[in-house]
Amino acid sequence: MAKEPALTPRLRLLADWVPAGARLADVGTDHGYLPVWLVLRGRAASAIASDLRPGPLSRAQKTAEDYGAKLDLRLCDGLSSVAPEECDTVVIAGMGGENIAAILAAAPWTADGGHTLLLQPQSRPEVLRGFLSGHGYVIQREALVRDRGHLYPVMEAGAGTMTLSLGQLYCGAKLLHDPLAERYIIEKIIQLQGVVAGRSRSAHGKDPDDADHLRDIITDLLAMREEWRHANSPGN
């Protein structure tokens, strides 16, 4: 048996961002690979692994037993059974941006300035970025990772304030020099153009204001792409 579990590219990026000696809370831990890896590497001084369902938590317990790592397992919704003083680093990954936002909203202590938040939305990242910007958080860094053919954003956030443009809301606040950002922006533009075209063909539910809003987002994303190309051209 391997000495430690293998991490997918997105989990490895999260692991690389966990501060040394962290007191970790891993929300939605599933198999528990990330906290077990961090404990075995000595990167985490302690690790709480929480999940909403008994099945994933049982898998995390088995992973911990198989590799001989100590985890504090919590069956709970989000951070509902985690006290602020029990952790200084919170990882929430592998779920939709709206679900991550709801977990943070139910635990306002995550915006107290004493916690590092490492967030990896699988979908609707714009919902998460919008929540963060409106509720006392700031995205301190952001990166893209390719995993199983998809691009995923990873964000480090903490207490603070920020204002995001439409383009930043949809395609990242800190990705100007990320090598994958142009592809990420293009994919989002194509997706939004498809939505606009689909609504234009539909005979029902036409909303000119909504279509104009989507076009405004696309325009901002096109400008972001040009900004990225300029920033990453030779000599810059």
PDB file of all heavy atoms in Angstrom, residues 19-50:
ATOM      1  N   PRO A  19      -1.566  26.411   4.764  1.00  0.00           N
ATOM      2  CA  PRO A  19      -0.385  26.888   5.503  1.00  0.00           C
ATOM      3  C   PRO A  19       0.218  25.786   6.372  1.00  0.00           C
ATOM      4  O   PRO A  19      -0.498  24.926   6.896  1.00  0.00           O
ATOM      5  CB  PRO A  19      -0.956  28.017   6.379  1.00  0.00           C
ATOM      6  CG  PRO A  19      -2.254  28.402   5.749  1.00  0.00           C
ATOM      7  CD  PRO A  19      -2.792  27.155   5.115  1.00  0.00           C
ATOM      8  N   ALA A  20       1.520  25.807   6.506  1.00  0.00           N
ATOM      9  CA  ALA A  20       2.206  24.823   7.352  1.00  0.00           C
ATOM     10  C   ALA A  20       1.705  24.945   8.793  1.00  0.00           C
ATOM     11  O   ALA A  20       1.554  26.048   9.320  1.00  0.00           O
ATOM     12  CB  ALA A  20       3.709  25.043   7.289  1.00  0.00           C
ATOM     13  N   GLY A  21       1.434  23.804   9.405  1.00  0.00           N
ATOM     14  CA  GLY A  21       0.969  23.788  10.784  1.00  0.00           C
ATOM     15  C   GLY A  21      -0.489  24.162  10.958  1.00  0.00           C
ATOM     16  O   GLY A  21      -0.930  24.477  12.077  1.00  0.00           O
ATOM     17  N   ALA A  22      -1.250  24.110   9.883  1.00  0.00           N
ATOM     18  CA  ALA A  22      -2.653  24.524   9.928  1.00  0.00           C
ATOM     19  C   ALA A  22      -3.478  23.636  10.844  1.00  0.00           C
ATOM     20  O   ALA A  22      -3.237  22.434  10.970  1.00  0.00           O
ATOM     21  CB  ALA A  22      -3.246  24.499   8.522  1.00  0.00           C
ATOM     22  N   ARG A  23      -4.451  24.258  11.472  1.00  0.00           N
ATOM     23  CA  ARG A  23      -5.522  23.518  12.140  1.00  0.00           C
ATOM     24  C   ARG A  23      -6.691  23.528  11.157  1.00  0.00           C
ATOM     25  O   ARG A  23      -7.371  24.518  10.999  1.00  0.00           O
ATOM     26  CB  ARG A  23      -5.876  24.159  13.480  1.00  0.00           C
ATOM     27  CG  ARG A  23      -4.753  24.049  14.498  1.00  0.00           C
ATOM     28  CD  ARG A  23      -5.087  24.731  15.813  1.00  0.00           C
ATOM     29  NE  ARG A  23      -5.192  26.173  15.640  1.00  0.00           N
ATOM     30  CZ  ARG A  23      -6.275  26.894  15.953  1.00  0.00           C
ATOM     31  NH1 ARG A  23      -7.352  26.308  16.440  1.00  0.00           N
ATOM     32  NH2 ARG A  23      -6.276  28.192  15.760  1.00  0.00           N
ATOM     33  N   LEU A  24      -6.885  22.396  10.505  1.00  0.00           N
ATOM     34  CA  LEU A  24      -7.715  22.315   9.305  1.00  0.00           C
ATOM     35  C   LEU A  24      -9.136  21.869   9.608  1.00  0.00           C
ATOM     36  O   LEU A  24      -9.355  20.997  10.454  1.00  0.00           O
ATOM     37  CB  LEU A  24      -7.069  21.320   8.332  1.00  0.00           C
ATOM     38  CG  LEU A  24      -7.784  21.066   6.997  1.00  0.00           C
ATOM     39  CD1 LEU A  24      -7.581  22.240   6.061  1.00  0.00           C
ATOM     40  CD2 LEU A  24      -7.279  19.777   6.357  1.00  0.00           C
ATOM     41  N   ALA A  25     -10.080  22.462   8.869  1.00  0.00           N
ATOM     42  CA  ALA A  25     -11.440  21.925   8.789  1.00  0.00           C
ATOM     43  C   ALA A  25     -11.737  21.690   7.317  1.00  0.00           C
ATOM     44  O   ALA A  25     -11.711  22.635   6.521  1.00  0.00           O
ATOM     45  CB  ALA A  25     -12.453  22.888   9.391  1.00  0.00           C
ATOM     46  N   ASP A  26     -11.958  20.438   6.946  1.00  0.00           N
ATOM     47  CA  ASP A  26     -12.243  20.075   5.555  1.00  0.00           C
ATOM     48  C   ASP A  26     -13.721  19.742   5.448  1.00  0.00           C
ATOM     49  O   ASP A  26     -14.172  18.708   5.950  1.00  0.00           O
ATOM     50  CB  ASP A  26     -11.380  18.880   5.140  1.00  0.00           C
ATOM     51  CG  ASP A  26     -11.612  18.467   3.689  1.00  0.00           C
ATOM     52  OD1 ASP A  26     -11.857  19.367   2.860  1.00  0.00           O
ATOM     53  OD2 ASP A  26     -11.553  17.263   3.392  1.00  0.00           O
ATOM     54  N   VAL A  27     -14.475  20.620   4.797  1.00  0.00           N
ATOM     55  CA  VAL A  27     -15.930  20.502   4.732  1.00  0.00           C
ATOM     56  C   VAL A  27     -16.320  19.748   3.468  1.00  0.00           C
ATOM     57  O   VAL A  27     -15.870  20.072   2.377  1.00  0.00           O
ATOM     58  CB  VAL A  27     -16.586  21.899   4.747  1.00  0.00           C
ATOM     59  CG1 VAL A  27     -18.107  21.773   4.633  1.00  0.00           C
ATOM     60  CG2 VAL A  27     -16.202  22.643   6.011  1.00  0.00           C
ATOM     61  N   GLY A  28     -17.189  18.743   3.616  1.00  0.00           N
ATOM     62  CA  GLY A  28     -17.547  17.898   2.491  1.00  0.00           C
ATOM     63  C   GLY A  28     -16.380  17.004   2.112  1.00  0.00           C
ATOM     64  O   GLY A  28     -16.016  16.871   0.952  1.00  0.00           O
ATOM     65  N   THR A  29     -15.808  16.360   3.111  1.00  0.00           N
ATOM     66  CA  THR A  29     -14.514  15.679   2.960  1.00  0.00           C
ATOM     67  C   THR A  29     -14.553  14.458   2.057  1.00  0.00           C
ATOM     68  O   THR A  29     -13.551  14.065   1.494  1.00  0.00           O
ATOM     69  CB  THR A  29     -13.976  15.279   4.346  1.00  0.00           C
ATOM     70  OG1 THR A  29     -12.611  14.922   4.249  1.00  0.00           O
ATOM     71  CG2 THR A  29     -14.781  14.133   4.957  1.00  0.00           C
ATOM     72  N   ASP A  30     -15.723  13.832   1.906  1.00  0.00           N
ATOM     73  CA  ASP A  30     -15.891  12.634   1.087  1.00  0.00           C
ATOM     74  C   ASP A  30     -14.947  11.530   1.555  1.00  0.00           C
ATOM     75  O   ASP A  30     -15.090  11.028   2.661  1.00  0.00           O
ATOM     76  CB  ASP A  30     -15.711  12.955  -0.394  1.00  0.00           C
ATOM     77  CG  ASP A  30     -16.282  11.862  -1.294  1.00  0.00           C
ATOM     78  OD1 ASP A  30     -16.982  10.974  -0.763  1.00  0.00           O
ATOM     79  OD2 ASP A  30     -16.025  11.879  -2.498  1.00  0.00           O
ATOM     80  N   HIS A  31     -13.943  11.155   0.764  1.00  0.00           N
ATOM     81  CA  HIS A  31     -13.038  10.068   1.155  1.00  0.00           C
ATOM     82  C   HIS A  31     -11.971  10.496   2.156  1.00  0.00           C
ATOM     83  O   HIS A  31     -11.225   9.648   2.649  1.00  0.00           O
ATOM     84  CB  HIS A  31     -12.349   9.488  -0.084  1.00  0.00           C
ATOM     85  CG  HIS A  31     -13.240   8.639  -0.938  1.00  0.00           C
ATOM     86  ND1 HIS A  31     -14.125   9.181  -1.834  1.00  0.00           N
ATOM     87  CD2 HIS A  31     -13.384   7.290  -1.022  1.00  0.00           C
ATOM     88  CE1 HIS A  31     -14.781   8.203  -2.460  1.00  0.00           C
ATOM     89  NE2 HIS A  31     -14.354   7.055  -1.984  1.00  0.00           N
ATOM     90  N   GLY A  32     -11.885  11.786   2.419  1.00  0.00           N
ATOM     91  CA  GLY A  32     -10.898  12.251   3.389  1.00  0.00           C
ATOM     92  C   GLY A  32      -9.465  12.253   2.883  1.00  0.00           C
ATOM     93  O   GLY A  32      -8.529  12.347   3.674  1.00  0.00           O
ATOM     94  N   TYR A  33      -9.286  12.178   1.572  1.00  0.00           N
ATOM     95  CA  TYR A  33      -7.925  12.102   1.040  1.00  0.00           C
ATOM     96  C   TYR A  33      -7.093  13.334   1.392  1.00  0.00           C
ATOM     97  O   TYR A  33      -5.918  13.225   1.753  1.00  0.00           O
ATOM     98  CB  TYR A  33      -7.951  11.930  -0.481  1.00  0.00           C
ATOM     99  CG  TYR A  33      -8.517  10.618  -0.951  1.00  0.00           C
ATOM    100  CD1 TYR A  33      -9.275  10.543  -2.126  1.00  0.00           C
ATOM    101  CD2 TYR A  33      -8.300   9.441  -0.236  1.00  0.00           C
ATOM    102  CE1 TYR A  33      -9.794   9.340  -2.570  1.00  0.00           C
ATOM    103  CE2 TYR A  33      -8.815   8.236  -0.676  1.00  0.00           C
ATOM    104  CZ  TYR A  33      -9.561   8.184  -1.841  1.00  0.00           C
ATOM    105  OH  TYR A  33     -10.083   6.990  -2.279  1.00  0.00           O
ATOM    106  N   LEU A  34      -7.699  14.521   1.251  1.00  0.00           N
ATOM    107  CA  LEU A  34      -6.948  15.751   1.492  1.00  0.00           C
ATOM    108  C   LEU A  34      -6.488  15.870   2.947  1.00  0.00           C
ATOM    109  O   LEU A  34      -5.284  16.059   3.188  1.00  0.00           O
ATOM    110  CB  LEU A  34      -7.774  16.973   1.085  1.00  0.00           C
ATOM    111  CG  LEU A  34      -7.109  18.332   1.329  1.00  0.00           C
ATOM    112  CD1 LEU A  34      -5.853  18.470   0.474  1.00  0.00           C
ATOM    113  CD2 LEU A  34      -8.082  19.464   1.031  1.00  0.00           C
ATOM    114  N   PRO A  35      -7.370  15.766   3.935  1.00  0.00           N
ATOM    115  CA  PRO A  35      -6.879  15.896   5.317  1.00  0.00           C
ATOM    116  C   PRO A  35      -5.915  14.792   5.721  1.00  0.00           C
ATOM    117  O   PRO A  35      -4.954  15.050   6.457  1.00  0.00           O
ATOM    118  CB  PRO A  35      -8.165  15.872   6.156  1.00  0.00           C
ATOM    119  CG  PRO A  35      -9.187  15.243   5.292  1.00  0.00           C
ATOM    120  CD  PRO A  35      -8.843  15.636   3.893  1.00  0.00           C
ATOM    121  N   VAL A  36      -6.128  13.563   5.232  1.00  0.00           N
ATOM    122  CA  VAL A  36      -5.194  12.484   5.546  1.00  0.00           C
ATOM    123  C   VAL A  36      -3.817  12.787   4.971  1.00  0.00           C
ATOM    124  O   VAL A  36      -2.788  12.641   5.651  1.00  0.00           O
ATOM    125  CB  VAL A  36      -5.736  11.129   5.025  1.00  0.00           C
ATOM    126  CG1 VAL A  36      -4.639  10.069   5.035  1.00  0.00           C
ATOM    127  CG2 VAL A  36      -6.909  10.675   5.886  1.00  0.00           C
ATOM    128  N   TRP A  37      -3.761  13.244   3.739  1.00  0.00           N
ATOM    129  CA  TRP A  37      -2.486  13.589   3.096  1.00  0.00           C
ATOM    130  C   TRP A  37      -1.775  14.680   3.879  1.00  0.00           C
ATOM    131  O   TRP A  37      -0.569  14.600   4.121  1.00  0.00           O
ATOM    132  CB  TRP A  37      -2.750  14.034   1.664  1.00  0.00           C
ATOM    133  CG  TRP A  37      -1.550  14.211   0.792  1.00  0.00           C
ATOM    134  CD1 TRP A  37      -1.009  13.288  -0.059  1.00  0.00           C
ATOM    135  CD2 TRP A  37      -0.752  15.400   0.652  1.00  0.00           C
ATOM    136  NE1 TRP A  37       0.077  13.823  -0.717  1.00  0.00           N
ATOM    137  CE2 TRP A  37       0.259  15.109  -0.294  1.00  0.00           C
ATOM    138  CE3 TRP A  37      -0.786  16.670   1.239  1.00  0.00           C
ATOM    139  CZ2 TRP A  37       1.217  16.051  -0.670  1.00  0.00           C
ATOM    140  CZ3 TRP A  37       0.169  17.603   0.868  1.00  0.00           C
ATOM    141  CH2 TRP A  37       1.153  17.290  -0.072  1.00  0.00           C
ATOM    142  N   LEU A  38      -2.516  15.704   4.282  1.00  0.00           N
ATOM    143  CA  LEU A  38      -1.917  16.822   5.008  1.00  0.00           C
ATOM    144  C   LEU A  38      -1.402  16.406   6.382  1.00  0.00           C
ATOM    145  O   LEU A  38      -0.341  16.858   6.822  1.00  0.00           O
ATOM    146  CB  LEU A  38      -2.938  17.952   5.143  1.00  0.00           C
ATOM    147  CG  LEU A  38      -3.286  18.675   3.837  1.00  0.00           C
ATOM    148  CD1 LEU A  38      -4.536  19.516   4.000  1.00  0.00           C
ATOM    149  CD2 LEU A  38      -2.117  19.547   3.374  1.00  0.00           C
ATOM    150  N   VAL A  39      -2.142  15.550   7.065  1.00  0.00           N
ATOM    151  CA  VAL A  39      -1.704  15.064   8.375  1.00  0.00           C
ATOM    152  C   VAL A  39      -0.452  14.206   8.225  1.00  0.00           C
ATOM    153  O   VAL A  39       0.521  14.352   8.982  1.00  0.00           O
ATOM    154  CB  VAL A  39      -2.842  14.287   9.069  1.00  0.00           C
ATOM    155  CG1 VAL A  39      -2.311  13.529  10.288  1.00  0.00           C
ATOM    156  CG2 VAL A  39      -3.965  15.240   9.491  1.00  0.00           C
ATOM    157  N   LEU A  40      -0.461  13.319   7.248  1.00  0.00           N
ATOM    158  CA  LEU A  40       0.693  12.440   7.054  1.00  0.00           C
ATOM    159  C   LEU A  40       1.939  13.229   6.665  1.00  0.00           C
ATOM    160  O   LEU A  40       3.056  12.857   7.063  1.00  0.00           O
ATOM    161  CB  LEU A  40       0.383  11.399   5.975  1.00  0.00           C
ATOM    162  CG  LEU A  40      -0.669  10.344   6.344  1.00  0.00           C
ATOM    163  CD1 LEU A  40      -0.974   9.463   5.133  1.00  0.00           C
ATOM    164  CD2 LEU A  40      -0.205   9.480   7.504  1.00  0.00           C
ATOM    165  N   ARG A  41       1.772  14.293   5.909  1.00  0.00           N
ATOM    166  CA  ARG A  41       2.902  15.129   5.502  1.00  0.00           C
ATOM    167  C   ARG A  41       3.361  16.077   6.609  1.00  0.00           C
ATOM    168  O   ARG A  41       4.366  16.764   6.473  1.00  0.00           O
ATOM    169  CB  ARG A  41       2.524  15.952   4.273  1.00  0.00           C
ATOM    170  CG  ARG A  41       2.473  15.165   2.967  1.00  0.00           C
ATOM    171  CD  ARG A  41       3.873  14.850   2.468  1.00  0.00           C
ATOM    172  NE  ARG A  41       3.887  14.143   1.214  1.00  0.00           N
ATOM    173  CZ  ARG A  41       4.280  14.674   0.049  1.00  0.00           C
ATOM    174  NH1 ARG A  41       4.682  15.919   0.001  1.00  0.00           N
ATOM    175  NH2 ARG A  41       4.275  13.940  -1.056  1.00  0.00           N
ATOM    176  N   GLY A  42       2.586  16.155   7.695  1.00  0.00           N
ATOM    177  CA  GLY A  42       2.914  17.090   8.753  1.00  0.00           C
ATOM    178  C   GLY A  42       2.545  18.521   8.442  1.00  0.00           C
ATOM    179  O   GLY A  42       2.945  19.450   9.156  1.00  0.00           O
ATOM    180  N   ARG A  43       1.780  18.731   7.376  1.00  0.00           N
ATOM    181  CA  ARG A  43       1.360  20.080   6.991  1.00  0.00           C
ATOM    182  C   ARG A  43       0.231  20.576   7.877  1.00  0.00           C
ATOM    183  O   ARG A  43       0.089  21.782   8.084  1.00  0.00           O
ATOM    184  CB  ARG A  43       0.917  20.086   5.520  1.00  0.00           C
ATOM    185  CG  ARG A  43       2.027  19.879   4.522  1.00  0.00           C
ATOM    186  CD  ARG A  43       2.901  21.116   4.397  1.00  0.00           C
ATOM    187  NE  ARG A  43       2.121  22.258   3.944  1.00  0.00           N
ATOM    188  CZ  ARG A  43       1.800  22.482   2.667  1.00  0.00           C
ATOM    189  NH1 ARG A  43       2.215  21.645   1.724  1.00  0.00           N
ATOM    190  NH2 ARG A  43       1.078  23.531   2.321  1.00  0.00           N
ATOM    191  N   ALA A  44      -0.605  19.657   8.364  1.00  0.00           N
ATOM    192  CA  ALA A  44      -1.707  20.020   9.242  1.00  0.00           C
ATOM    193  C   ALA A  44      -1.426  19.519  10.646  1.00  0.00           C
ATOM    194  O   ALA A  44      -1.124  18.336  10.846  1.00  0.00           O
ATOM    195  CB  ALA A  44      -3.019  19.434   8.724  1.00  0.00           C
ATOM    196  N   ALA A  45      -1.506  20.420  11.616  1.00  0.00           N
ATOM    197  CA  ALA A  45      -1.309  20.027  13.008  1.00  0.00           C
ATOM    198  C   ALA A  45      -2.496  19.234  13.523  1.00  0.00           C
ATOM    199  O   ALA A  45      -2.355  18.369  14.392  1.00  0.00           O
ATOM    200  CB  ALA A  45      -1.085  21.273  13.866  1.00  0.00           C
ATOM    201  N   SER A  46      -3.666  19.519  12.987  1.00  0.00           N
ATOM    202  CA  SER A  46      -4.880  18.785  13.324  1.00  0.00           C
ATOM    203  C   SER A  46      -5.833  18.912  12.147  1.00  0.00           C
ATOM    204  O   SER A  46      -5.698  19.817  11.321  1.00  0.00           O
ATOM    205  CB  SER A  46      -5.537  19.336  14.601  1.00  0.00           C
ATOM    206  OG  SER A  46      -5.933  20.694  14.408  1.00  0.00           O
ATOM    207  N   ALA A  47      -6.793  17.989  12.061  1.00  0.00           N
ATOM    208  CA  ALA A  47      -7.710  18.011  10.923  1.00  0.00           C
ATOM    209  C   ALA A  47      -9.089  17.519  11.332  1.00  0.00           C
ATOM    210  O   ALA A  47      -9.238  16.389  11.813  1.00  0.00           O
ATOM    211  CB  ALA A  47      -7.171  17.160   9.778  1.00  0.00           C
ATOM    212  N   ILE A  48     -10.070  18.390  11.141  1.00  0.00           N
ATOM    213  CA  ILE A  48     -11.477  18.021  11.272  1.00  0.00           C
ATOM    214  C   ILE A  48     -11.987  17.716   9.874  1.00  0.00           C
ATOM    215  O   ILE A  48     -11.785  18.500   8.941  1.00  0.00           O
ATOM    216  CB  ILE A  48     -12.297  19.162  11.892  1.00  0.00           C
ATOM    217  CG1 ILE A  48     -11.808  19.479  13.308  1.00  0.00           C
ATOM    218  CG2 ILE A  48     -13.789  18.832  11.886  1.00  0.00           C
ATOM    219  CD1 ILE A  48     -12.397  20.771  13.869  1.00  0.00           C
ATOM    220  N   ALA A  49     -12.633  16.563   9.717  1.00  0.00           N
ATOM    221  CA  ALA A  49     -13.216  16.180   8.439  1.00  0.00           C
ATOM    222  C   ALA A  49     -14.724  16.078   8.636  1.00  0.00           C
ATOM    223  O   ALA A  49     -15.189  15.237   9.417  1.00  0.00           O
ATOM    224  CB  ALA A  49     -12.643  14.849   7.959  1.00  0.00           C
ATOM    225  N   SER A  50     -15.472  16.928   7.961  1.00  0.00           N
ATOM    226  CA  SER A  50     -16.927  16.925   8.144  1.00  0.00           C
ATOM    227  C   SER A  50     -17.629  16.582   6.846  1.00  0.00           C
ATOM    228  O   SER A  50     -17.128  16.844   5.757  1.00  0.00           O
ATOM    229  CB  SER A  50     -17.410  18.287   8.657  1.00  0.00           C
ATOM    230  OG  SER A  50     -17.414  19.244   7.629  1.00  0.00           O
TER     231      SER A  50
END
